[in-house]
Structures are given as C-alpha cells and as structure tokens.
Amino acid sequence: MKAVVFEKYGPPEVLQLKKIEKPTPKENEVLIKIYATSVTAADWRMRKPDPFLARMMNGIFAPKKFNILGIELAGVVEAVGNEVTKFQPGDEIFGTTGFTFRAYAEYVCIPEDSDGNDGSITHKPTNLTFGEAAVIPVGADTALFFLRTQGNIQPGQKVLIYGASSSVGSYGVQLAKHFGAEVTAVCSASNHEWVKELGADKMIDYRMEDFTQSGETYDAIFDAVGKLSLSGSMKALKDGGVFLDAVHMMRRSVQAKFAPKKNNKRILGGTATGLHEDLIYFKELIEAGHLKPVIDRTYPLEEIVEATRYVETGRKKGNVVITVVET
Ligand SMILES: NC(=O)c1ccc[n+]([C@@H]2O[C@H](COP(=O)([O-])OP(=O)(O)OC[C@H]3O[C@@H](n4cnc5c(N)ncnc54)[C@H](OP(=O)(O)O)[C@@H]3O)[C@@H](O)[C@H]2O)c1
C-alpha cells in the first residue's frame, strides 16, 4: 500500500511517499481503508520534533516507535478480526489513531474497543463527507476537553476564545455556544465573517485591539493557539475564572507556576484524550446541526509536503484535509 513515511526528524521534506506492506487485522482489530486524513499540529510537532518530549515518545535520534504520521481519519471498514462485533466490512467510520499515528496511508488497523491514546473509531456522521469527518476528532476533542472537562462551562458564562480561526478555536466557539455561554471570539478581521457564523456573539480583531486592556472580564479564557500573555489574561478573568491553555508547553508551565493567581483564578493545561464517547457525542451534535468542521484547503496524499508547509505557516483557517481516496 501507499504510505507517507518519515525515517528521520526534520523539515516537511523528510515525509516521503513509499510502498509498504498492507497491515492485517488481529482478532480484535478493524482494518480501515482510509479515505481522508489531515495535517494537525501533533503531526508537525512529532516530525520536527518539537518539543523534546516528542523524541522521548518516538526515539531520541530518529523515529522508532512509529514512522508514519497522521492522527485522525475517516474511511471504510475493509475487514474485521474474528472477535470484532461492533463493525463490519462496508461501515463508514471516523476517528483517531491516537498517539500511534499511522493515518498517512491507504490502510490502518485499530482495535475495535481502543480508547484515548491507542485511538478510537465510531460510525461516521451521515451528513459529512469523508474529508469533513476526518478533521473532527483532534480539534473538536481538544476544545471539548478544555471547555467541558477542564472549564466546566455553564449557561450564561462569558467565555473568550483566543485564536478562534484555528481548528481548536473554531470548534471551541461552537461548543461554548452549545453549552449556553456568551462567546467572544478573538481572531484577525479577515476571519471574522465565518467565525461569527459559527455562533460567536462578539468579535475582536487581535491585531487592532488588546482585549486585556478593555476592562471587560470573563469566566473563562481559552487560548487555543498558545499566543496569549498569561499576566494580561489573568487580569481579564473574573474572580474564580479559569484560563484554559491548549498549548501548555514547558515555557508556559513555568510561566503558569509563577503567574499571579489571586481571587481563585486558575490556569489549566493538559492533553485531550480522544475518548470513544466523545466521538459518539460529536456524531450526535453534527447530525443535529450543532457542530461542523471548517475546511481551508484539501490536498491529495501525494502533496503531503506542500500541505504540511502550509499548516506550518500558522495561518490556516480551521482545518487542512488530506485526501487518500477521491470520492
Ligand atoms: N492540548 C491538547 O490536547 C492539544 C491538542 C491539539 C492541538 N493542540 C494545540 O492547539 C494549537 C492550535 O492548533 P490548530 O491546528 O487548531 O491551529 P493552528 O494552525 O495552530 O492555528 C492557526 C490559526 O491561528 C491564528 N493565529 C495565528 N496567530 C495568532 C495570534 N497571535 N492570535 C490569534 N490568532 C492567531 C491564525 O489566524 P490569523 O493568522 O489570521 O491570525 C490561524 O487561523 C496547536 O499549537 C496545537 O499544538 C493542543
């Protein structure tokens, strides 16, 4: 089968299209023919690799544990192991391969009951294409993890989503709105129109206005792109408010430790776990019309290097899809 392999860490050009052996499902595994995948921050962070934690996960000097990237996908079940009961050949599915990656390929095997870090799949929302479904798991699950699990967002709360035009931010706007919050979206003016259509109540252009200086305060500030100053943001939180930090890297962890946290204000980071029940929740929300993916560009698997270069500009709007099978 075709797969994009990386045998050393480095720039996007280390990604190379090769022929490798097609996987065979074990007793408890589902063999998926991948129709679409994506380029996420997790992919480029593991390839660069950035941070050093990536080398700890996948080999200090060269990729060892996995040498195929791609962490989310949509496709069709081609075969199932003898113990599999929930899926059958022909089922259309979407999901994540978790921290085993391997979705930049024509086929992948995932255990039927895996959850979180080992990946997770469920049936694809009926009203989405494969490309649309492939870009749901990571961005939506990250937004859900921060807004519901960490932030416990309640109806009527004031929530600010910083970097609302990112993948995580675009799902964050929709989920916060769905939870009944009053949503302020911060992104550049060129993205205001479509982000507002996702449900934002107020728009701020971060290039023209510093929201931390306006005197307005929020129950939750969700930094979806890791670009906010912690000290300014803490001032813009209400007493008891929470700063939700999607990009909780070493530097930010140190800043968070020393940031002034008066009046029960909290800073919460963490990593979304990609739970199976979350995928089912997204399927329901999507089919009920409460959640949708925003797609900026689509590239064929053969153009993975160009797609990756584009994502690494840090300017994509929503998501970038990689098509493996044209439909
Ligand atoms: N903790 C977790 O579990 C987890 C999981 C997944 C992802 N993440 C992290 O989440 C981050 C977001 O990833 P993503 O793929 O959703 O988006 P992304 O590609 O990193 O974000 C691109 C968007 O950010 C906007 N942007 C750039 N600079 C900005 C700034 N200074 N202020 C406001 N917006 C700005 C850009 O719009 P303009 O250029 O027009 O401003 C563009 O629309 C990544 O760093 C990733 O590592 C964390």
Side-chain angles (χ1 to χ4, degrees):
M1 70 167 180
K2 275 187 304 185
V4 173
V5 173
F6 77 122
E7 279 152 1
K8 55 184 182 184
Y9 296 124
E13 291 71 23
V14 300
L15 299 171
Q16 293 190 326
L17 195 66
K18 294 207 165 164
K19 286 259 177 216
I20 63 163
E21 207 172 314
K22 183 177 166 184
T24 310
K26 297 187 190 123
E27 301 285 276
N28 64 336
E29 285 184 341
V30 176
L31 173 68
I32 299 156
K33 183 172 172 62
I34 300 174
Y35 277 51
T37 173
S38 73
V39 183
T40 65
D43 296 310
W44 61 256
R45 286 192 196 286
M46 292 307 298
R47 195 206 67 239
K48 274 188 164 177
D50 170 27
F52 188 71
L53 188 62
R55 286 184 191 261
M56 301 294 283
M57 273 177 65
N58 196 26
I60 301 288
F61 301 109
K64 266 200 178 145
K65 201 169 144 207
F66 53 87
N67 64 355
I68 299 175
L69 295 171
I71 192 171
E72 55 187 357
L73 60 93
V76 176
V77 173
E78 177 148 309
V80 296
N82 286 339
E83 291 169 11
V84 170
T85 57
K86 295 186 192 125
F87 299 96
Q88 53 186 17
D91 284 357
E92 297 186 351
I93 57 89
F94 78 124
T96 163
T97 48
F99 284 104
T100 67
F101 291 80
R102 304 171 291 136
Y104 291 170
E106 285 181 292
Y107 296 92
V108 71
C109 290
I110 299 185
E112 136 177 90
D113 278 325
S114 70
D115 214 344
N117 287 341
D118 291 335
S120 187
I121 55 169
T122 195
H123 293 93
K124 179 173 88 59
T126 50
N127 53 344
L128 291 191
T129 64
F130 288 102
E132 289 167 333
V135 295
I136 297 289
V138 172
D141 205 55
T142 305
L144 184 69
F145 170 74
F146 281 97
L147 293 171
R148 190 175 69 180
T149 312
Q150 300 288 66
N152 189 25
I153 300 305
Q154 296 299 313
Q157 286 191 323
K158 280 174 68 180
V159 175
L160 180 135
I161 312 281
Y162 190 84
S165 57
S166 66
S167 170
V168 174
S170 62
Y171 293 117
V173 168
Q174 298 175 76
L175 289 172
K177 196 67 201 163
H178 184 67
F179 298 149
E182 181 192 308
V183 179
T184 299
V186 185
C187 56
S188 55
S190 60
N191 292 317
H192 278 198
E193 199 176 320
W194 67 266
V195 173
K196 189 153 181 44
E197 275 171 20
L198 298 179
D201 299 289
K202 292 183 188 166
M203 304 299 305
I204 295 176
D205 178 1
Y206 74 90
R207 294 172 199 246
M208 301 300 287
E209 187 184 340
D210 178 355
F211 76 90
T212 66
Q213 300 298 315
S214 70
E216 196 76 50
T217 54
Y218 300 89
D219 296 289
I221 294 175
F222 179 29
D223 184 359
V225 288
K227 304 244 170 122
L228 270 177
S229 120
L230 276 179
S231 53
S233 303
M234 295 312 272
K235 280 188 238 147
L237 277 180
K238 290 183 181 179
D239 290 353
V242 61
F243 181 84
L244 302 165
D245 186 7
V247 191
H248 205 66
M249 294 300 178
M250 188 71 84
R251 179 177 58 84
R252 293 287 289 260
S253 311
V254 174
Q255 285 174 349
K257 203 167 169 52
F258 294 105
K261 295 178 221 56
K262 291 184 201 138
N263 306 326
N264 294 325
K265 297 179 188 182
R266 290 166 300 146
I267 300 171
L268 297 176
T271 303
T273 39
L275 296 175
H276 184 246
E277 66 199 40
D278 296 345
L279 284 180
I280 294 168
Y281 178 62
F282 296 141
K283 176 175 161 62
E284 287 165 4
L285 283 185
I286 289 163
E287 288 175 350
H290 298 309
L291 189 73
K292 65 172 188 181
V294 172
I295 292 172
D296 182 349
R297 297 187 184 181
T298 299
Y299 295 83
L301 186 65
E302 289 72 14
E303 290 175 21
I304 193 78
V305 172
E306 289 78 359
T308 299
R309 278 199 208 114
Y310 177 59
V311 170
E312 285 184 39
T313 63
R315 306 259 88 99
K316 79 171 154 61
K317 304 169 197 314
N319 303 279
V320 165
V321 173
I322 302 296
T323 304
V324 184
V325 174
E326 290 291 343
T327 47

